[in-house]
């Protein structure tokens, strides 16, 4: 298994850089560049006690796919029999581990046992000298039960020790800069801000662990844990990995990852094994009374719980520790896969039922997200791509999924009713034609009824009531809003939207009719006029919501447009009156793609997707169709949304390319490694003039 990881050192200029390769909101798949390979996150660093190796590091590497581990440099420093060989041959040889080695500094020992006898610079120098990849400075542990004064002191002392620690680390040792502050949001965020802005001769802190949380985890105080994560995320540089120090119960992975945590470490796999406890993604299971294993496992396959109970103690601990490591790795793989498939929040919802305390933490988060009146919630929502193929399995929690909240926000902020009706008359006061059917696709189930209704009352705007709220009919194929899977009684009991909701969308609540089905025949000519009005409205709604082009400009731009269609009659490509292909509605997810011609038109209209200014050196490459790389962007508009289009311009504002963003505006200005924008089309010089 270990052979899958390349342990070669990264290029010197990449050391300590972190890039994001995939995301679901603020949960991310990242790559941290080190001297022993690229560490792929989210991941857990198993704690290896260099004196008691429950599972040999080499076995972790070869059999369990462990790419990086954490050990304690203070323990190595303290024991002569470890210190000398570590200094002579390096920590990788001492532990017999070829991957990334992270070390802690002794802070935790000082929390457990009182004072320790090593200096701030001495312990960093030692980590550097034994060849550690990512070391930890000697921070001051802040306990949750301490007074504000004591916690402030822990934060300040840690910050004071930071510059000398970075200096001692030199060019080759990456450092963890822990965040302290107990249960106080203001201290946590102050600590994050200060630790995040310390700069060294070579670099600042590479990783920011959130420290002082072990007592919270021991007491299952997950609500407080979530509040701390939210408080620090506001201030930790967005391009630094976040580590939860001492957190390793698989039950906590999805929720922490959904809030942007990248690294975990824990000795739980070994400690729990010692007293006969098994980790599972749903909580802890004691082996005492088990007759059968309530899960499948490679390690426990072929052996029964009673046989395990009868084993000699060391043998049993070894076996259970291996199982605990196996399940830990499996849950992390599940989280990573959930990020790739855009399902991290549905995993969070499932896992939130594992314990009352976890559910309490989740319910708090759900409320915060629904209110969306603080920095973290708005960051989580606005970084969640609102267009994604696939379906949405509906539960009572689903409404708070960030990508759905984001979709609703875009409808509220960017969607407007069409300006004219199918007869060409101005719609002064748009009424509502409410669709209360859950039979999708709506274009098949209700279109004829809509046409019938509009033939009589042209000033009604068809709107679909869904469990997620109102969806304008002109966005009826927007995935996943068009694929909500829930049982019939949910659809049949959806409420009529409030007057306020309708007014917010520019609709007149006093003119609301509910769509009825009937067999009445509408004259062919009228039917085709309404049909083509509905199609036009669909294109212009998508331009407003996904491309930020107003209905007014789109109406002018696409006057007398022509289209070509798929075999099922859906519009595949849109052409301007002079025959240029400008847009392609996507049948896969209901979004809309720009062509080069389309991007040029929106750019010259002065409207359209948000823009970013590319650095001069990168322009020829991007014009040639290469992706936009972080570090080559000079300036960026607000409102860049992952998964949606953006325009790439030079410093004179001329169009260079258009693409789909992989990140937010804030991330664009802070990351310095990885792809920022997937270029969809480069504009050649002669083309742009
Ligand atoms: N391990 C668990 N918690 C902490 C902490 O707050 N600081 C350090 N350095 N290590 C830890």
């Amino acid at each position: 298994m270990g052979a899958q990881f390349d342990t070669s050192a990264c290029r010197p200029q990449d050391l300590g850089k972190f890039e994001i390769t995939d995301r679901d909101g603020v949960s991310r798949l990242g790559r941290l560049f080190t001297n022993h390979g690229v560490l792929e996150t989210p991941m857990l660093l198993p704690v290896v006690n260099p004196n008691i190796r429950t599972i040999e590091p080499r076995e972790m590497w070869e059999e369990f796919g462990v790419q990086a581990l954490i050990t304690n440099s203070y323990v190595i420093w303290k024991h002569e029999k470890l210190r000398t060989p570590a200094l002579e041959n390096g920590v990788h040889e001492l532990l017999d581990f070829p991957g990334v080695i992270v070390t802690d500094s002794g802070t935790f020992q000082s929390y457990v046992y009182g004072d320790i006898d090593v200096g701030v610079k001495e312990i960093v120098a030692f980590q550097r000298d034994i060849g550690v990849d990512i070391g930890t400075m000697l921070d001051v542990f802040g306990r949750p039960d301490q007074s504000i004064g004591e916690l402030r002191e822990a934060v300040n002392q840690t910050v004071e020790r930071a510059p000398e620690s970075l200096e001692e680390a030199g060019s080759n040792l990456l450092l963890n800069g822990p965040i302290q502050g107990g249960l106080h949001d203001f201290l946590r965020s102050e600590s994050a801000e200060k630790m995040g802005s310390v700069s060294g001769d070579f670099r600042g802190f590479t990783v920011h662990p959130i420290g002082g949380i072990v007592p919270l985890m021991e007491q299952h105080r997950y609500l407080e844990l979530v509040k701390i994560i939210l408080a620090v995320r506001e201030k930790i540089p967005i391009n630094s990995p976040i580590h939860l120090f001492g957190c390793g119960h698989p039950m906590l992975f999805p929720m922490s990852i959904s809030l942007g945590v990248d690294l975990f470490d824990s000795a739980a796999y070994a400690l729990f094994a010692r007293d006969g406890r098994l980790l599972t993604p749903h909580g802890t299971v004691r082996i005492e009374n088990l007759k059968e294993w309530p899960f499948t496992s490679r390690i426990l396959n072929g052996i029964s719980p009673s046989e395990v109970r009868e084993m000699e103690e060391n043998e049993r601990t070894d076996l259970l520790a291996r199982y605990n490591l196996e399940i830990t790795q499996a849950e992390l793989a599940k989280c990573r896969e959930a990020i790739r498939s855009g399902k991290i929040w549905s995993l969070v919802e499932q896992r939130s039922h594992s314990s009352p305390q976890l559910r309490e933490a989740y319910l708090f988060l759900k409320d915060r997200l629904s209110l969306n009146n603080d920095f973290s919630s708005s960051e989580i929502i606005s970084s969640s791509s609102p267009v994604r193929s696939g379906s949405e399995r509906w539960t009572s929690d689903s409404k708070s999924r960030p990508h759905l909240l984001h979709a609703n926000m875009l409808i509220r902020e960017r969607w407007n009713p069409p300006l004219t009706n199918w007869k060409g008359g101005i719609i002064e006061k748009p009424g509502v034609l409410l669709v209360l059917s859950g039979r999708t696709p709506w274009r098949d189930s209700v279109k004829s009824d809509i046409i019938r209704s509009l033939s009589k009352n042209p000033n009604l705007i068809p709107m679909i009531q869904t469990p997620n709220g109102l969806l304008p009919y002109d966005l009826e194929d927007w995935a996943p809003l068009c694929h909500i899977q829930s049982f019939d009684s949910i659809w049949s009991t959806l409420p009529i939207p409030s007057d306020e909701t309708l007014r917010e969308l520019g609709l007149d609540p006093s003119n609301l009719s509910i769509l009825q089905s009937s067999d009445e025949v509408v004259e062919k000519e009228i039917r085709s006029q309404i049909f083509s009005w509905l199609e036009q409205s669909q294109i212009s709604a998508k331009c407003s919501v996904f491309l930020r082009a107003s209905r007014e400009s789109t109406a002018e731009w696409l006057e007398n447009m022509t289209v070509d269609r798929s075999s099922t009659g859906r519009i595949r490509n849109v052409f301007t009156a002079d025959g240029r292909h400008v847009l392609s509605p996507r049948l896969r997810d209901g979004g809309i793609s720009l062509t080069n011609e389309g991007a040029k038109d929106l750019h010259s209209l002065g409207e359209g997707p948000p823009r970013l200014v590319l650095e001069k050196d990168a322009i020829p490459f991007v014009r040639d169709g290469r992706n936009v790389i972080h570090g080559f962007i000079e300036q960026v508009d607000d409102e860049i949304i992952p998964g949606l289009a953006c325009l790439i311009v030079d410093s004179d504002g001329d169009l260079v390319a258009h693409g789909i963003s992989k990140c937010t505006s804030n991330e664009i200005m802070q990351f310095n490694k990885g792809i920022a924008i997937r270029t969809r089309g480069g504009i050649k010089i002669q083309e742009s003039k």
Side-chain angles (χ1 to χ4, degrees):
M1 239 183 151
Q4 66 189 305
F5 303 124
D6 179 359
T7 56
S8 36
C10 64
R11 300 183 310 168
Q13 66 269 36
D14 287 341
L15 188 62
K17 286 189 180 165
F18 185 52
E19 72 170 317
I20 302 301
T21 55
D22 213 337
R23 69 183 308 147
D24 183 2
V26 297
S27 14
R28 48 198 190 174
L29 296 186
R31 284 159 53 82
L32 177 63
F33 289 77
T34 83
N35 277 328
H36 283 84
V38 179
L39 198 139
E40 312 236 353
T41 65
M43 67 113 65
L44 173 122
L45 309 162
V47 174
V48 169
N49 180 334
N51 282 315
I52 324 163
R53 301 180 184 181
T54 313
I55 307 175
E56 279 298 322
R58 175 59 66 172
E59 185 187 342
M60 290 185 179
W61 172 262
E62 283 175 0
E63 302 297 326
F64 291 88
V66 169
Q67 192 195 358
L69 54 75
I70 187 166
T71 188
N72 200 298
S73 63
Y74 176 68
V75 174
I76 302 176
W77 177 86
K78 185 109 184 124
H79 294 89
E80 180 54 41
K81 70 173 199 310
L82 298 170
R83 179 180 5 190
T84 306
L87 283 169
E88 273 172 13
N89 308 318
V91 69
H92 290 82
E93 195 166 318
L94 179 79
L95 296 181
D96 185 24
F97 187 74
V100 178
I101 297 187
V102 182
T103 43
D104 203 346
S105 53
T107 299
F108 196 66
Q109 279 65 21
S110 75
Y111 155 69
V112 180
Y113 308 112
D115 270 353
I116 53 164
D117 46 0
V118 73
V120 173
K121 286 184 169 191
E122 197 179 1
I123 196 64
V124 174
F126 181 66
Q127 295 173 79
R128 179 196 66 212
D129 294 344
I130 63 174
V132 164
D133 295 298
I134 308 171
T136 304
M137 64 163 286
L138 195 64
D139 52 320
V140 180
F141 195 97
R143 296 193 321 265
D145 60 339
Q146 281 179 312
S147 68
I148 293 191
E150 288 166 322
L151 288 164
R152 185 182 287 283
E153 190 52 29
V155 167
N156 288 344
Q157 264 196 43
T158 302
V159 172
E160 263 167 42
R161 294 173 176 184
E164 55 190 304
S165 304
L166 285 169
E167 189 185 321
E168 204 60 37
S171 63
N172 228 15
L173 171 64
L174 305 174
L175 270 193
N176 280 320
I179 314 289
Q180 299 290 346
L183 297 179
H184 304 282
D185 285 0
F186 74 99
L187 280 180
R188 285 286 180 181
S189 98
E190 197 178 301
S191 171
E193 183 160 26
K194 289 183 173 160
M195 295 298 284
S197 55
V198 187
S199 55
D201 283 346
F202 300 96
R203 61 184 74 80
F205 289 110
T206 298
V207 178
H208 286 291
I210 301 180
I213 54 173
V214 170
L216 296 181
M217 268 146 356
E218 285 167 349
Q219 297 159 31
H220 309 269
R221 291 160 67 181
Y222 305 139
L223 173 59
E224 282 151 316
L225 179 67
V226 160
K227 288 182 178 170
I228 292 173
I229 301 175
L230 291 175
V232 303
R233 359 176 353 99
E234 281 190 28
K235 296 285 161 54
I236 287 185
I238 205 156
N239 58 341
S240 303
I242 302 180
H243 175 161
L244 278 192
F245 247 154
C247 170
H249 199 302
M251 186 172 84
L252 296 173
F253 293 160
M255 195 176 294
S256 313
I257 289 172
S258 75
L259 299 177
V261 171
D262 306 287
L263 289 163
F264 301 87
D265 77 278
S266 172
Y269 72 99
L271 300 178
F272 280 46
R274 258 172 238 160
D275 51 309
R277 286 183 293 162
L278 298 172
L279 300 173
T280 86
H282 310 280
T284 308
V285 174
R286 294 193 164 274
I287 62 163
E288 272 156 23
N289 302 316
L290 288 185
K291 280 206 169 346
E292 295 175 64
W293 304 117
F295 32 69
T296 52
S297 151
R298 175 174 69 94
I299 300 291
L300 297 176
N301 189 21
I303 183 161
S304 71
S306 66
E307 284 168 328
V308 173
R309 282 194 293 270
E310 277 152 26
M311 281 175 160
E312 188 267 318
E313 193 180 332
N314 279 348
E315 198 191 349
R316 182 175 64 233
T317 302
D318 281 1
L319 184 79
L320 296 185
R322 283 175 175 76
Y323 159 79
N324 282 341
L325 193 56
E326 176 192 18
I327 200 78
T328 298
Q329 294 291 80
E331 182 65 357
L332 281 167
K334 184 155 198 154
C335 291
R336 290 190 294 265
E337 207 41 48
I339 295 175
R340 288 184 195 107
S341 59
K343 299 280 182 218
I344 192 72
W345 281 89
S346 98
L347 190 60
V348 173
E349 289 157 25
Q350 287 168 39
R351 296 294 188 253
S352 73
H353 295 282
S354 304
S355 90
Q357 293 86 348
L358 200 57
R359 186 69 188 161
E360 181 190 27
Y362 168 75
L363 291 175
F364 165 81
L365 256 182
K366 186 173 152 173
D367 280 353
R368 280 271 289 248
L369 288 169
S370 305
L371 283 173
N372 186 17
N373 59 5
D374 65 287
F375 176 87
S376 301
S377 311
S378 97
E379 196 197 5
I380 293 170
I381 293 169
S382 58
S383 59
S384 297
S385 173
V387 187
R388 33 182 86 191
S389 45
S391 61
E392 209 61 44
R393 286 200 190 154
W394 203 256
T395 71
S396 56
D397 289 333
S398 313
K399 233 179 160 166
S400 318
R401 291 180 187 159
H403 63 282
L404 297 179
L405 290 169
H406 195 185
N408 283 352
M409 195 168 99
L410 291 177
I411 293 174
R412 272 197 315 276
E413 290 177 359
R414 296 188 178 179
W415 183 88
N416 290 303
L419 305 167
T420 50
N421 62 28
W422 61 267
K423 291 180 160 172
I426 305 278
I427 309 181
E428 299 284 357
K429 275 184 116 190
V432 183
L433 179 61
L434 192 64
V435 178
L436 289 174
S437 157
R439 278 180 301 131
T440 56
W442 288 288
R443 61 186 166 275
D444 293 337
S445 65
V446 294
K447 191 162 68 212
S448 307
D449 292 326
I450 288 178
I451 290 178
R452 218 169 279 121
S453 235
L454 293 184
S455 70
K456 293 187 194 124
N457 192 342
N459 290 340
L460 292 182
I461 309 298
M463 304 291 291
I464 308 163
Q465 180 66 312
T466 79
N468 188 52
L470 270 186
L471 175 68
Y473 178 80
D474 51 19
L475 297 168
E476 63 83 33
D477 61 348
W478 180 352
L481 306 182
C482 62
H483 294 306
I484 292 178
Q485 294 181 354
S486 78
F487 34 89
D488 287 351
S489 64
I490 298 242
W491 285 97
S492 59
T493 53
L494 289 174
I496 304 292
S498 70
D499 288 3
E500 194 191 337
T501 307
L502 294 172
R503 269 196 216 100
E504 236 182 359
L505 294 171
L507 300 165
D508 174 12
S510 66
N511 182 8
L512 181 144
S513 27
I514 293 179
L515 182 72
Q516 309 291 345
S517 72
S518 108
D519 297 331
E520 240 178 90
V521 179
V522 179
E523 207 183 296
K524 195 167 166 218
E525 178 56 21
I526 295 192
R527 207 168 58 225
S528 100
Q529 273 182 44
I530 300 178
F531 182 78
S532 98
W533 176 82
L534 284 172
E535 280 193 337
Q536 297 253 4
S537 167
Q538 197 157 43
I539 301 294
S540 79
K542 287 181 183 186
C543 286
S544 327
V545 173
F546 302 133
L547 301 175
R548 290 204 322 184
S550 66
R551 293 247 196 208
E552 287 89 338
S553 321
T554 312
E556 248 178 75
W557 175 36
L558 298 181
E559 204 182 352
N560 300 325
M561 72 180 202
T562 57
V563 300
D564 70 22
R565 294 173 188 278
S566 71
S567 55
T568 53
R570 297 174 70 194
I571 297 182
R572 233 176 17 189
N573 296 309
V574 176
F575 303 84
T576 50
D578 58 359
R580 289 174 309 113
H581 175 201
V582 282
L583 296 167
S584 297
R586 291 195 301 271
L587 309 188
R588 169 172 51 92
D589 60 15
I592 194 158
S593 300
L594 277 173
T595 63
N596 282 11
E597 289 298 310
K600 284 194 300 192
D601 284 0
L602 287 181
H603 175 257
S604 58
L605 280 172
E607 288 209 10
R611 295 161 190 227
L612 52 93
V613 180
L614 196 61
E615 249 187 26
K616 212 163 150 224
D617 295 349
I619 290 177
F621 298 97
V622 176
R623 280 201 193 278
D624 235 16
R626 306 270 277 274
N627 292 327
V628 178
I629 307 296
H630 283 293
F632 291 92
I633 301 164
E634 277 178 1
Q635 239 182 300
V636 64
D637 282 354
D638 291 343
E639 284 199 53
I640 298 252
I641 296 176
L644 295 193
C646 56
L647 299 182
I648 301 150
V649 299
D650 64 17
S651 55
D652 294 328
D654 289 337
L655 189 65
V656 172
H658 64 105
I660 301 294
S661 182
K662 283 176 62 74
C663 48
T664 61
S665 309
N666 189 14
E667 290 162 347
I668 287 187
M669 291 322 288
Q670 293 198 47
F671 273 89
N672 50 18
K673 180 107 187 102
I675 298 173
I677 312 291
R678 281 210 181 282
T679 300
R680 283 192 47 90
I683 311 288
K684 303 275 186 293
I685 303 248
Q686 58 278 33
E687 239 186 290
S688 69
K689 294 292 169 200

PDB file of all heavy atoms in Angstrom, residues 104-105 107-108 136-137 139 141 178 180 211-212 214 245-246, ligand 1:
ATOM      1  N   ASP A 104       5.446  16.838  17.812  1.00  0.00           N
ATOM      2  CA  ASP A 104       4.946  17.804  18.792  1.00  0.00           C
ATOM      3  C   ASP A 104       6.127  18.185  19.684  1.00  0.00           C
ATOM      4  O   ASP A 104       7.192  17.575  19.618  1.00  0.00           O
ATOM      5  CB  ASP A 104       3.773  17.196  19.571  1.00  0.00           C
ATOM      6  CG  ASP A 104       2.867  18.272  20.164  1.00  0.00           C
ATOM      7  OD1 ASP A 104       3.285  19.449  20.200  1.00  0.00           O
ATOM      8  OD2 ASP A 104       1.755  17.944  20.605  1.00  0.00           O
ATOM      9  N   SER A 105       5.887  19.192  20.552  1.00  0.00           N
ATOM     10  CA  SER A 105       7.028  19.837  21.196  1.00  0.00           C
ATOM     11  C   SER A 105       7.171  19.611  22.695  1.00  0.00           C
ATOM     12  O   SER A 105       8.116  20.096  23.291  1.00  0.00           O
ATOM     13  CB  SER A 105       6.873  21.339  20.986  1.00  0.00           C
ATOM     14  OG  SER A 105       5.585  21.722  21.443  1.00  0.00           O
ATOM     15  N   THR A 107       4.496  20.450  24.753  1.00  0.00           N
ATOM     16  CA  THR A 107       3.453  21.273  25.378  1.00  0.00           C
ATOM     17  C   THR A 107       2.419  20.385  26.071  1.00  0.00           C
ATOM     18  O   THR A 107       1.981  20.656  27.190  1.00  0.00           O
ATOM     19  CB  THR A 107       2.747  22.126  24.305  1.00  0.00           C
ATOM     20  OG1 THR A 107       3.714  22.970  23.715  1.00  0.00           O
ATOM     21  CG2 THR A 107       1.620  22.954  24.900  1.00  0.00           C
ATOM     22  N   PHE A 108       2.054  19.315  25.392  1.00  0.00           N
ATOM     23  CA  PHE A 108       1.014  18.455  25.959  1.00  0.00           C
ATOM     24  C   PHE A 108       1.520  17.783  27.241  1.00  0.00           C
ATOM     25  O   PHE A 108       0.778  17.639  28.207  1.00  0.00           O
ATOM     26  CB  PHE A 108       0.573  17.412  24.923  1.00  0.00           C
ATOM     27  CG  PHE A 108      -0.724  16.764  25.286  1.00  0.00           C
ATOM     28  CD1 PHE A 108      -1.902  17.508  25.305  1.00  0.00           C
ATOM     29  CD2 PHE A 108      -0.782  15.421  25.627  1.00  0.00           C
ATOM     30  CE1 PHE A 108      -3.109  16.922  25.667  1.00  0.00           C
ATOM     31  CE2 PHE A 108      -1.992  14.829  25.982  1.00  0.00           C
ATOM     32  CZ  PHE A 108      -3.153  15.584  25.991  1.00  0.00           C
ATOM     33  N   THR A 136       6.759  21.434  15.830  1.00  0.00           N
ATOM     34  CA  THR A 136       5.805  22.290  16.545  1.00  0.00           C
ATOM     35  C   THR A 136       6.576  23.163  17.518  1.00  0.00           C
ATOM     36  O   THR A 136       7.478  22.674  18.205  1.00  0.00           O
ATOM     37  CB  THR A 136       4.785  21.433  17.334  1.00  0.00           C
ATOM     38  OG1 THR A 136       4.149  20.544  16.420  1.00  0.00           O
ATOM     39  CG2 THR A 136       3.732  22.278  18.025  1.00  0.00           C
ATOM     40  N   MET A 137       6.239  24.431  17.564  1.00  0.00           N
ATOM     41  CA  MET A 137       6.876  25.298  18.555  1.00  0.00           C
ATOM     42  C   MET A 137       6.322  24.960  19.941  1.00  0.00           C
ATOM     43  O   MET A 137       5.292  24.279  20.061  1.00  0.00           O
ATOM     44  CB  MET A 137       6.617  26.771  18.227  1.00  0.00           C
ATOM     45  CG  MET A 137       5.158  27.143  18.300  1.00  0.00           C
ATOM     46  SD  MET A 137       4.880  28.926  18.405  1.00  0.00           S
ATOM     47  CE  MET A 137       5.351  29.270  20.094  1.00  0.00           C
ATOM     48  N   ASP A 139       4.241  25.842  22.439  1.00  0.00           N
ATOM     49  CA  ASP A 139       3.143  26.752  22.766  1.00  0.00           C
ATOM     50  C   ASP A 139       2.741  26.576  24.224  1.00  0.00           C
ATOM     51  O   ASP A 139       3.209  25.658  24.891  1.00  0.00           O
ATOM     52  CB  ASP A 139       1.942  26.497  21.829  1.00  0.00           C
ATOM     53  CG  ASP A 139       1.534  25.039  21.780  1.00  0.00           C
ATOM     54  OD1 ASP A 139       2.427  24.161  21.766  1.00  0.00           O
ATOM     55  OD2 ASP A 139       0.323  24.743  21.774  1.00  0.00           O
ATOM     56  N   PHE A 141      -0.273  25.686  26.662  1.00  0.00           N
ATOM     57  CA  PHE A 141      -1.588  25.040  26.607  1.00  0.00           C
ATOM     58  C   PHE A 141      -2.616  25.852  27.410  1.00  0.00           C
ATOM     59  O   PHE A 141      -2.411  26.133  28.582  1.00  0.00           O
ATOM     60  CB  PHE A 141      -1.452  23.628  27.201  1.00  0.00           C
ATOM     61  CG  PHE A 141      -2.603  22.717  26.899  1.00  0.00           C
ATOM     62  CD1 PHE A 141      -2.535  21.809  25.843  1.00  0.00           C
ATOM     63  CD2 PHE A 141      -3.767  22.736  27.675  1.00  0.00           C
ATOM     64  CE1 PHE A 141      -3.583  20.948  25.558  1.00  0.00           C
ATOM     65  CE2 PHE A 141      -4.818  21.890  27.393  1.00  0.00           C
ATOM     66  CZ  PHE A 141      -4.729  20.990  26.341  1.00  0.00           C
ATOM     67  N   PRO A 178       0.472  26.770  16.894  1.00  0.00           N
ATOM     68  CA  PRO A 178      -0.816  26.449  17.526  1.00  0.00           C
ATOM     69  C   PRO A 178      -1.618  27.675  17.964  1.00  0.00           C
ATOM     70  O   PRO A 178      -1.059  28.709  18.318  1.00  0.00           O
ATOM     71  CB  PRO A 178      -0.427  25.614  18.747  1.00  0.00           C
ATOM     72  CG  PRO A 178       0.968  25.155  18.483  1.00  0.00           C
ATOM     73  CD  PRO A 178       1.604  26.246  17.676  1.00  0.00           C
ATOM     74  N   GLN A 180      -4.333  29.079  20.644  1.00  0.00           N
ATOM     75  CA  GLN A 180      -4.897  28.814  21.978  1.00  0.00           C
ATOM     76  C   GLN A 180      -6.035  29.802  22.224  1.00  0.00           C
ATOM     77  O   GLN A 180      -6.446  30.505  21.324  1.00  0.00           O
ATOM     78  CB  GLN A 180      -3.791  28.921  23.033  1.00  0.00           C
ATOM     79  CG  GLN A 180      -2.652  27.918  22.853  1.00  0.00           C
ATOM     80  CD  GLN A 180      -3.055  26.466  23.149  1.00  0.00           C
ATOM     81  OE1 GLN A 180      -4.106  26.193  23.743  1.00  0.00           O
ATOM     82  NE2 GLN A 180      -2.224  25.518  22.712  1.00  0.00           N
ATOM     83  N   GLY A 211      -5.181  24.256  19.387  1.00  0.00           N
ATOM     84  CA  GLY A 211      -4.730  23.556  20.591  1.00  0.00           C
ATOM     85  C   GLY A 211      -5.703  23.716  21.751  1.00  0.00           C
ATOM     86  O   GLY A 211      -6.705  24.426  21.651  1.00  0.00           O
ATOM     87  N   GLY A 212      -5.382  23.025  22.838  1.00  0.00           N
ATOM     88  CA  GLY A 212      -6.160  23.162  24.071  1.00  0.00           C
ATOM     89  C   GLY A 212      -7.557  22.568  24.002  1.00  0.00           C
ATOM     90  O   GLY A 212      -8.438  22.943  24.785  1.00  0.00           O
ATOM     91  N   VAL A 214      -8.196  19.045  23.847  1.00  0.00           N
ATOM     92  CA  VAL A 214      -8.310  17.645  24.293  1.00  0.00           C
ATOM     93  C   VAL A 214      -9.331  17.504  25.436  1.00  0.00           C
ATOM     94  O   VAL A 214     -10.179  16.612  25.408  1.00  0.00           O
ATOM     95  CB  VAL A 214      -6.920  17.063  24.649  1.00  0.00           C
ATOM     96  CG1 VAL A 214      -7.039  15.719  25.342  1.00  0.00           C
ATOM     97  CG2 VAL A 214      -6.082  16.946  23.375  1.00  0.00           C
ATOM     98  N   PHE A 245      -5.651  19.554  17.088  1.00  0.00           N
ATOM     99  CA  PHE A 245      -4.658  18.863  17.917  1.00  0.00           C
ATOM    100  C   PHE A 245      -5.318  17.863  18.865  1.00  0.00           C
ATOM    101  O   PHE A 245      -6.112  18.253  19.725  1.00  0.00           O
ATOM    102  CB  PHE A 245      -3.904  19.895  18.761  1.00  0.00           C
ATOM    103  CG  PHE A 245      -2.456  20.051  18.403  1.00  0.00           C
ATOM    104  CD1 PHE A 245      -1.802  21.253  18.667  1.00  0.00           C
ATOM    105  CD2 PHE A 245      -1.734  19.022  17.839  1.00  0.00           C
ATOM    106  CE1 PHE A 245      -0.460  21.424  18.363  1.00  0.00           C
ATOM    107  CE2 PHE A 245      -0.388  19.183  17.530  1.00  0.00           C
ATOM    108  CZ  PHE A 245       0.248  20.380  17.791  1.00  0.00           C
ATOM    109  N   GLY A 246      -4.999  16.591  18.698  1.00  0.00           N
ATOM    110  CA  GLY A 246      -5.484  15.585  19.638  1.00  0.00           C
ATOM    111  C   GLY A 246      -6.868  15.076  19.315  1.00  0.00           C
ATOM    112  O   GLY A 246      -7.491  14.381  20.122  1.00  0.00           O
TER     113      GLY A 246
HETATM  114  N1  LIG B   1      -1.581  18.199  21.719  1.00  0.00           N
HETATM  115  C1  LIG B   1      -2.862  18.310  22.117  1.00  0.00           C
HETATM  116  N2  LIG B   1      -3.162  19.602  22.401  1.00  0.00           N
HETATM  117  C2  LIG B   1      -2.050  20.316  22.180  1.00  0.00           C
HETATM  118  C3  LIG B   1      -1.742  21.703  22.282  1.00  0.00           C
HETATM  119  O1  LIG B   1      -2.569  22.545  22.638  1.00  0.00           O
HETATM  120  N3  LIG B   1      -0.456  22.065  21.946  1.00  0.00           N
HETATM  121  C4  LIG B   1       0.465  21.146  21.527  1.00  0.00           C
HETATM  122  N4  LIG B   1       1.683  21.572  21.180  1.00  0.00           N
HETATM  123  N5  LIG B   1       0.189  19.847  21.430  1.00  0.00           N
HETATM  124  C5  LIG B   1      -1.049  19.431  21.760  1.00  0.00           C
END
